[in-house]
């Protein structure tokens, strides 16, 4: 099975990224996690992206805050799908990272999820990898069904409380 590469601009992004790690683990998708920065360690970020396909990766998640160029910098160096997570930092409520991640020039796409949207980044990777993996399709379907059931139980509990 192809791996997912998770790259974050700083270890301070880990509390946000952890959710992506957890979702991939739940779906039994192997992942490798690195701290590489588009600005502080640009050579390592570039080398990771350039060798990612040959190293068995099927998709890359890039999480960064502030002037978040990491997803775009990785995407510039690979044709693997890159999913960007704009991380919220103290200033500007994450709008800085959102706009830096989402506004890619034509030709170099980054699939950008919501600010701090790490779970959806992992799910998007899983759905991309599932195109060639029937067992993963089953795990995704089961997860959706479990989560739908949990919502229905909340609905029932709410109505029981309101109307008893
Ligand atoms: C970004 O700058 C990182 O992705 C992080 O979100 C932000 C702050 O990094 P630290 O100063 O906490 O290392 O590059």
């Amino acid at each position: 099975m192809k791996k997912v590469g998770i790259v974050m601009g700083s270890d301070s992004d880990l509390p946000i990224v952890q959710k992506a790690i957890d979702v991939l683990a739940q779906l039994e998708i192997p992942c490798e996690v690195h701290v590489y920065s588009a600005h502080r360690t640009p050579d390592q970020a570039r080398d990771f992206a350039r060798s990612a396909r040959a190293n068995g990766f099927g998709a890359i998640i890039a999480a960064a805050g502030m002037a978040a160029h990491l997803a775009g910098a990785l995407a510039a160096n690979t044709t693997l799908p890159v999913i960007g997570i704009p991380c919220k930092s103290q200033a500007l409520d994450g709008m800085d990272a959102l706009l830096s991640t989402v506004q890619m020039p034509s030709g170099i796409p980054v699939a950008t999820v919501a600010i701090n949207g790490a779970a959806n980044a992992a799910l998007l990777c899983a759905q991309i990898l599932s195109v060639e993996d029937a067992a993963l399709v089953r795990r995704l379907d089961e997860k959706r069904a479990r989560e739908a059931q949990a919502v229905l139980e909340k609905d029932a509990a709410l109505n029981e409380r309101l109307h008893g």
Side-chain angles (χ1 to χ4, degrees):
M1 183 185 217
K2 298 280 187 203
K3 295 179 285 186
V4 171
I6 301 181
V7 184
M8 63 195 103
S10 167
D11 61 351
S12 66
D13 298 317
L14 184 58
I16 294 163
V17 171
Q18 185 65 50
K19 197 156 244 166
I21 298 171
D22 294 344
V23 169
L24 292 172
Q26 186 187 33
L27 291 168
E28 300 170 42
I29 297 171
C31 75
E32 232 180 70
V33 185
H34 295 283
V35 177
Y36 297 139
S37 162
H39 307 119
R40 293 165 174 159
T41 59
D43 295 345
Q44 287 78 5
R46 181 203 57 212
D47 292 350
F48 176 82
R50 287 197 177 166
S51 60
R53 191 183 290 275
N55 285 337
F57 293 96
I60 296 173
I61 292 172
M66 302 181 77
H69 298 132
L70 181 60
L74 296 175
N77 283 292
T78 182
T79 52
L80 287 173
V82 175
I83 291 125
I85 306 172
C87 295
K88 181 174 169 176
S89 49
Q90 281 177 349
L92 304 176
D93 275 344
M95 283 301 290
D96 45 357
L98 174 63
L99 298 179
S100 302
T101 305
V102 79
Q103 285 289 68
M104 288 298 293
S106 180
I108 309 293
V110 167
T112 305
V113 295
I115 295 168
N116 292 356
N120 271 359
L123 286 169
L124 202 46
C125 283
Q127 291 177 200
I128 290 166
L129 297 183
S130 76
V131 169
E132 301 277 359
D133 188 332
L136 181 53
V137 174
R138 270 196 302 281
R139 294 199 290 280
L140 280 164
D141 286 344
E142 286 163 8
K143 180 171 166 58
R144 282 231 180 155
R146 278 196 308 276
E147 288 170 1
Q149 183 58 33
V151 174
L152 294 176
E153 283 166 16
K154 284 179 189 169
D155 174 63
L158 176 67
N159 277 282
E160 174 67 25
R161 203 161 68 237
L162 294 177
H163 310 299

